[in-house]
Amino acid sequence: MKKDNPQKSKSFYENNSWYHRVKILQEDGTVRYSKKGGFATSREADKSYDKYEADFKKAYRAYQMAHKVNTEVMFKDYLIYWFEEVFSQRVESTTRMVGAYAIYDLILPQMEYDIKVKYVNVEYLDTLLERVSRASASAGNKGREILNLALKEAAIAGYVKTNPVAGTKPYKRPKPKITVLGKEKTKVLLKAASQNNWYLEILLALFCGLRKGEIMGLKFGDFDFEKSTVYISRQIASDPIIEKGSGSKIKKYGLVERAPKTPNSYRTLRVPEVVMREVRKRRQIVENNKMKYAEGYQDRDYVCCQENGKLHSMTAMNNALTKLCSRNGLPHVTVHGLRHMYATILIEMEVPIVKISALLGHGSVHTTFEYYCDVMDENENILAFMNNAFVPVAV
């Protein structure tokens, strides 16, 4: 279901209804996070969100007037409280997992001495982040990002006068090293993949630029077989369970169906004929499996699934690609690498970056530029190129 106004919408779609997040102020001053649904459109949900947000701000201001914030709280205690009682209540499980690692494995172990929150300053944080940054190439950036969120809300709540993170040394987010195959090696990959059960998924990543979660979330109902288009409206994501108070230890993993990564990720794409042909083949395979397993088939209309209809694991497709590349003497390529190759093809064809950004479903053009500026005409040209350039000679 597409948002009425994806750029500004605060709502999300799940279980056949539009929802929005809700913040509820408790009697003890803590905030409980929940969600409210039952809306027919995203605009209705947005309107309700604005009302709840205004009511919350009014209640919070009243509480602040009646209760003085404890500015004597220690920084370590504040970080744990903020993460467990505030941050964790409003984010998805995967974001919580990353946050837990940043707090419990990167920041707290490197805190040589604790101070009161009100005394936290740029010098203290720069020293802390310098130690954090030694853990890995991305640790400094992620640690600074989490501290910025925590102290931004500390400033709003009155624990500190201003957020000192803004004045700290920035740490660049390292770009992931992505392997891009040349045209000849891509032909070798696709010829080998055409004899593999993952051929359709590989085509969807390379010729449509879909993310792994988007591929896993595709349903046959998302395809318009007459117009040769597909509508991206969901993704499958891992759902790590971390018990409260257990630090960053993951109890178990699961899979969950979620809205796409960003509002811009809701998109309709033209699909090359080579891909549509494989979608039709897959649909027939699924129909045969339904007959084979009868009541034992879990029918959720997924295109990418096991024989019995259940979802593959989040690592299954990359594992299959690893084996495929190894057996055919090719450099190791990931699903994200295929998506990167798709973008590279468009850049080489001089497709405007704003269109590439829309096709990839990036949150903004800036994201696209950041990733692809070092590589740097229309839909019909793109389709013609993809329909002819990499199709295996014999399928």
Side-chain angles (χ1 to χ4, degrees), residues 143-157:
R144 187 171 184 264
E145 178 184 304
I146 289 293
L147 286 173
N148 183 55
L149 290 172
L151 287 167
K152 180 179 179 181
E153 297 194 52
I156 293 172

Side-chain angles (χ1 to χ4, degrees), residues 4-57:
D4 301 322
N5 190 1
Q7 292 292 337
K8 299 181 179 179
S9 184
K10 304 105 177 174
S11 55
F12 57 96
Y13 190 79
E14 66 179 31
N15 298 326
N16 299 316
S17 172
W18 285 99
Y19 286 76
H20 67 77
R21 301 292 180 188
V22 176
K23 290 188 290 186
I24 302 171
L25 186 65
Q26 309 280 59
E27 290 185 2
D28 62 356
T30 60
V31 180
R32 179 168 65 85
Y33 291 85
S34 183
K35 60 184 180 181
K36 183 176 177 60
F39 300 99
T41 67
S42 62
R43 289 188 186 278
E44 289 180 15
D46 289 350
K47 187 175 180 180
S48 175
Y49 172 88
D50 291 337
K51 182 180 183 304
Y52 270 86
E53 188 69 8
D55 290 344
F56 172 81
K57 289 179 179 179

